[in-house]
Amino acid sequence: MTIGTYRTVKVEKEDGIGWLYMNRPEKRNAMNPQMHFDMDAVLPEIEGDPEIGAVILTGAGEAFCAGQDLREYFRGLDGDPMGRRRAGEASERWRNRRLAGFNKPTIAMVNGYCIGGGFTQMLCCDFAIAADEAVFGLSEVNWGILPGGLVSKKLTDTLLFRHAMYYACTGRTLDGKRAAEIGLVNESYPRDRLKEETVALARELMEKNQEVLRATKHAIRAVRTMNDDQAFDYLAAKGAEIKQRDRENAYANGIKQFLDDKSYKPTFGAYDREQAIRDNQAAE
Ligand code: COA
């Protein structure tokens, strides 16, 4: 499947991974309105592409994302309420809806600066892996706004209250190692290992049964705002949904491979999906 070409966004496909680049390296991948429109359009294309099993979102060049474009997104739209609305809606939609609700695993690979509004897409990905040398910062307090959109919300959903308050109110920067210590990202690695470690995580995720993984990632995100009764009900419904959608029959094959074939232990990795498909065919 061919994915369209976009002005501010680049997609490369490699061994089942969709590499999605914010692509304005000369502006440190600051998000202008065009980038929001491009992202809003490309994400459904990637989601529907059968050649892509996982997405890695990263920045072209030396930065991940320098936040909203102060020239084009802020000053440029100050006198243009309709333009602001259109860009604002696209800005929220591609990150808080499309990315956060994506049906395939998503990993933010934070290669350099991740500033202000750039936190949102990093936090909307299921996972984040940073270079030790990456620089994170909530600069808003330093220039006259607060971490708006949904930055403050996503931040406090992710971090302990004390850390969220501290970094939002001081604007102090932190590197990848510190980001991993406080749980802002999953892991941090020296820059020369960043790509291989991020790809290793993507591969591990792609080995899982994709319906089970999809339901699990949506559930982990969704139950955070539910009470126990709601969560119990929701998880039961998601479990039933897996049975309905899963053509590989993970449940029966996983148990068979452990109990009967003794060919794997669920504690240490995914069941053999190829074997499961062969067994399903033999049973038909
Ligand atoms: N909006 C608009 N332009 C931006 C930008 C942003 N958020 N971030 C960087 N740029 C532009 C710079 O104006 C510069 O443009 P120019 O070459 O036309 O002068 C270019 O990108 C390179 O930026 P520069 O500051 O020279 O790069 P650097 O590597 O020395 O520093 C940053 C990178 C990210 C530390 C610095 O650019 C910065 O602080 N940017 C603002 C980040 C911010 O506060 N974002 C919050 C938005 S919610």
Side-chain angles (χ1 to χ4, degrees), residues 24-28 30-31 62-63 65-72 74 113 115-118 139-140 143 145:
R24 299 181 72 216
E26 72 291 351
K27 299 293 181 190
R28 307 298 181 261
M31 297 175 286
E62 60 199 76
C65 176
Q68 298 284 14
D69 188 305
L70 275 68
R71 185 187 304 280
E72 294 188 42
F74 282 106
Y113 286 114
I115 310 295
S139 68
E140 289 91 335
W143 63 275
I145 66 167

